[in-house]
Amino acid sequence: MSNVVPPFIVAIPARYGSTRLPAKPLREINGVPMVVRVAQRALQAGASQVVVAVDDPRIADALAGQDGVDVCMTRSDHASGSDRLAECAQHYGWAADSIVVNLQGDEPFAPAAGIRAVAQALAGDDAPMATLATPIIDAEELFDPNVVKLVRAVDGRALYFSRAPLPWARDAFAVDRHALPSGSPFLRHIGIYAYRAGFLDRYSRLPRTPLEQTESLEQLRVLEHGHAIAVRLTPEPFPPGIDTEADLERAELWLRTQH
């Protein structure tokens, strides 16, 4: 894969309603709304355009005055972030071959290198979609349903994503589920995607699928309809995204250690 970073757009889906963390995009981390931190990361990565796709004027208000950040008001009834970005792509009329990076609105510490890497992964593969992963290093993480796991084929493409422990180390876990056996390819999915704008439109027209709805994972719609997802290991660690109050507290602590 070439080390040249292609031009890319970063689009950030930011939904006001969140079951586990109400008003999530507006929750502050050391005094800065989460959605603002995410947009700043996108700018640092060198995106040609940064757009936040919102469904509530309160999020738009929080982004007012952020230089280099566009706000796109979208419908509130989208099934997933990718569906929301498809409306955004249509609004801006992005060319079908434009690379769009979907940076989740709950990834306030996404490293710039990781954002660039997912754009590179898409440019270097003929799969219509790309994403990132990182090795899982402890059993607690593997068994946590809030941590999405994935398995991939020898060509680096995704076979499946799940909230369940994946793969299941049959012999090792029959003895001990508190330690990970060495040599097993346990991977945590990092919720960042890249796709061409044309595929984003196609994705939004695909019917929702049983596995997508069962696991509540939008990327399964792609696999269930027979499309490939290229998976690359992230070049730099992604601190975990923010899903719960406990995550928010951990984020505050993590940020303090960075100074």
Side-chain angles (χ1 to χ4, degrees), residues 153-169:
V154 292
D155 64 359
R157 291 185 170 185
L159 291 170
Y160 192 62
F161 298 81
S162 183
R163 297 182 182 281
L166 198 71
W168 185 260

Side-chain angles (χ1 to χ4, degrees), residues 21 27-30 32 34 37 106-109 239-259:
L21 196 60
R27 299 299 293 270
E28 293 188 350
I29 302 171
N30 280 16
V32 179
M34 193 184 318
R37 287 190 177 276
D106 57 6
E107 293 277 358
F109 307 125
I242 313 295
D243 283 317
T244 63
E245 292 284 355
D247 291 341
L248 206 57
E249 290 172 19
R250 277 194 292 270
E252 294 265 5
L253 290 171
W254 182 85
L255 199 60
R256 288 186 203 121
T257 69
Q258 302 306 298
H259 296 300

Side-chain angles (χ1 to χ4, degrees), residues 85 177 188:
L85 297 193
R177 297 186 186 180
R188 171 169 74 89

Side-chain angles (χ1 to χ4, degrees), residues 131-169 173 180-181 183-191 217 219 229-235 238:
T131 193
L132 300 179
T134 192
I136 288 175
I137 54 174
D138 66 65
E140 183 181 1
E141 191 177 19
L142 184 72
F143 285 88
D144 183 349
N146 292 317
V147 173
V148 178
K149 279 69 64 172
L150 69 93
V151 285
R152 57 182 184 164
V154 292
D155 64 359
R157 291 185 170 185
L159 291 170
Y160 192 62
F161 298 81
S162 183
R163 297 182 182 281
L166 198 71
W168 185 260
F173 289 156
L180 295 182
S184 295
F186 299 112
L187 293 173
R188 171 169 74 89
H189 178 227
I190 294 167
L217 295 174
Q219 63 272 35
I229 300 177
V231 181
R232 301 287 183 270
L233 295 181
T234 179
F238 271 68

